[in-house]
């Protein structure tokens, strides 16, 4: 899986033969585990969705303020999503967006719960109901991934941009958003330059 991921990120059109050669196995071995290239990509997307769910949970663990929890979860997810952003673009060619959304349903449910809490506490002031706002946030993250992939947004700014965008769209005032994101970045201290 790691070799397949690396090969597909290096060359999004990599064939099963190329992946097998890179892994040091014959093509038949790869096909023994994955009946098609699409099945391999779907398995990589499943793994990515699980990793994103774990990061989202860990990012907000122990945080009671919904705005801070949203910022920290977004930064944690972005660090993982940044690794997978090219895979998401590739998966959109192989796995339907409906399939990707289905895989992210557990994370979306957690987002809805967090947004509901923030709306009830008056931390968020969005006119959208929590479920609709969760979809807006999800699509914002996909859009930011695409912006990075296309060179419209530097990868180094994407984590900060993602957290800021989600807080602002939830109705958190700009000055509070800036303070929350700055504090979350200080606490988060990513292992790479995913900010």
């Amino acid at each position: 899986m790691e070799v397949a991921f690396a090969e597909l990120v290096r060359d999004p059109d990599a064939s099963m033969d190329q992946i097998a050669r890179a892994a040091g196995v014959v093509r038949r071995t790869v096909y023994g585990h994955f009946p098609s290239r699409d099945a391999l990509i779907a398995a990589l997307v499943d793994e990515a969705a699980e990793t994103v769910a774990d990061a989202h949970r860990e990012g907000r663990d122990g945080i009671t303020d919904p705005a801070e929890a949203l910022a920290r979860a977004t930064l944690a997810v972005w660090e993982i999503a940044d690794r997978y952003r090219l895979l998401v673009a590739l998966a959109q060619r192989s796995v339907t967006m409906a399939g990707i959304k289905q895989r992210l349903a557990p994370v979306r449910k957690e987002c809805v719960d967090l947004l509901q809490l923030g709306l009830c506490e008056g931390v968020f002031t969005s006119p959208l109901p929590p479920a609709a706002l969760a979809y807006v946030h999800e699509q914002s993250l996909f859009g930011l991934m695409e912006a990075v992939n296309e060179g419209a947004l530097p990868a180094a700014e994407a984590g900060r941009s993602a957290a800021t965008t989600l807080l602002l769209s939830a109705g958190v005032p700009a000055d509070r958003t800036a303070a929350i994101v700055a504090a979350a970045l200080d606490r988060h201290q990513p292992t790479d330059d995913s900010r």
Side-chain angles (χ1 to χ4, degrees):
M1 295 278 283
E2 282 298 314
V3 171
F5 175 78
E7 282 300 300
L8 288 167
V9 167
R10 186 186 61 75
D11 176 8
D13 296 317
S15 68
M16 293 290 265
D17 285 334
Q18 287 172 273
I19 292 167
R21 278 194 305 274
V25 299
V26 296
R27 184 175 68 167
R28 179 180 33 187
T29 302
V30 177
Y31 277 109
H33 294 283
F34 306 100
S36 69
R37 186 173 182 278
D38 286 350
L40 173 60
I41 292 170
L44 289 169
V45 170
D46 287 343
E47 182 179 283
E50 185 176 315
T51 304
V52 166
D54 291 344
H56 189 273
R57 194 174 311 102
E58 291 168 12
R60 63 180 203 288
D61 188 41
I63 306 299
T64 57
D65 175 33
E68 184 182 347
L70 179 60
R72 289 194 53 208
T74 301
L75 289 168
V77 165
W78 188 265
E79 188 171 344
I80 301 304
D82 190 49
R83 178 174 187 246
Y84 291 114
R85 64 186 161 79
L86 294 173
L87 177 62
V88 169
L90 176 64
Q92 289 174 341
R93 291 193 269 171
S94 300
V95 181
T96 65
M97 273 311 284
I100 294 171
K101 287 180 182 178
Q102 181 182 20
R103 287 168 171 85
L104 292 174
V107 175
R108 191 177 316 106
K109 166 74 170 89
E110 291 174 357
C111 289
V112 169
D113 294 345
L114 178 60
L115 293 168
Q116 179 65 55
L117 176 65
L119 287 166
C120 288
E121 291 182 0
V123 174
F124 302 142
T125 59
S126 174
L128 296 173
L133 188 55
Y135 277 105
V136 168
H137 285 183
E138 185 177 292
Q139 291 306 306
S140 293
L141 292 175
F142 282 132
L144 288 168
M145 284 183 211
E146 191 171 333
V148 172
N149 288 347
E150 296 295 323
L153 177 67
E157 296 175 20
R160 176 185 301 273
S161 297
T164 300
T165 298
L166 299 194
L167 287 172
L168 290 172
S169 68
V172 177
D175 57 342
R176 181 150 191 259
T177 291
I180 290 168
V181 172
L185 283 167
D186 287 342
R187 278 188 92 168
H188 182 67
Q189 298 177 10
T191 55
D192 61 32
D193 195 17
S194 60
R195 290 193 271 179

